[in-house]
């Protein structure tokens, strides 16, 4: 389904949302200040994304460095 454009009517936008497949809700915790962050160094997972449209090829080496610290599954 094509995403509604800004000039589409409110009806068209509502129909788009009504027919869309929604993602499940994900719990989200806002930590207001750095003082409230307590890190013990034990992460369960890490995520790194690479977007060729926005990331210059000169930054690719960062992916290799990141891989040294994780177990890929």
């Amino acid at each position: 389904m094509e995403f509604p454009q800004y000039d589409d009517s409110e009806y068209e936008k509502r129909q788009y949302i009504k027919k869309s497949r929604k993602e499940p809700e994900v719990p989200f915790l806002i930590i207001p200040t750095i003082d409230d962050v307590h890190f013990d160094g034990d992460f369960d997972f890490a995520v790194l994304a690479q977007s060729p449209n926005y990331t210059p090829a000169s930054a690719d080496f960062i992916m290799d460095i990141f891989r040294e610290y994780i177990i890929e599954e």
Side-chain angles (χ1 to χ4, degrees), residues 11 44 59 73:
Y11 173 79
D44 291 330
E73 292 185 15

Side-chain angles (χ1 to χ4, degrees), residues 5 10 13 15 17 20-24 33 53 57 63:
Q5 301 300 311
E10 287 302 313
K13 292 175 186 176
Q15 290 301 308
I17 292 170
S20 296
R21 285 200 274 167
K22 288 139 183 98
E23 295 286 335
T33 69
N53 291 334
M63 302 282 286

Side-chain angles (χ1 to χ4, degrees), residues 9-42:
S9 70
E10 287 302 313
Y11 173 79
E12 290 171 308
K13 292 175 186 176
R14 282 194 303 273
Q15 290 301 308
Y16 175 83
I17 292 170
K18 181 179 176 182
K19 295 175 184 176
S20 296
R21 285 200 274 167
K22 288 139 183 98
E23 295 286 335
E25 286 189 22
V26 176
F28 183 74
L29 172 65
I30 296 175
I31 301 175
T33 69
I34 192 67
D35 296 328
D36 297 321
V37 175
H38 304 286
F39 170 66
D40 64 4
D42 187 24

Side-chain angles (χ1 to χ4, degrees), residues 45-60:
F45 61 91
V47 178
L48 178 66
Q50 180 185 31
S51 177
N53 291 334
Y54 299 99
T55 308
S58 60
D60 287 352

